[in-house]
Amino acid sequence: MASWLAPDGWLVAEEADVGMWLADYDPIWAAHPAAWHEAFPHGSLGQGRALLRQIPQLGLADIGADAGLDIVEPGRT
């Protein structure tokens, strides 16, 4: 995708990082990574973080990242 960029173009990549839920206090959310890994056994629970480590190899400028994590009380969705 980076090779398709026009000069001064933007590339936005979004990738889930379900590994952040492994230690969730709510058992429903804490079970999500295991279910995801069962559905995608060759996938990485930390793919979002891995993607960020790979981007500098593309030779792009002004690379940035942002992450969000919802904190939900047990029993609430």
Side-chain angles (χ1 to χ4, degrees), residues 2-47:
S3 66
W4 303 337
L5 290 174
D8 296 321
W10 284 70
L11 174 64
V12 177
E14 185 171 329
E15 183 65 43
D17 196 321
V18 296
M20 294 191 305
W21 292 333
L22 285 170
D24 199 292
Y25 184 72
D26 188 310
I28 294 173
W29 284 103
H32 182 79
W36 182 91
H37 198 50
E38 186 176 319
F40 303 100
H42 300 291
S44 168
L45 294 175
Q47 185 57 36

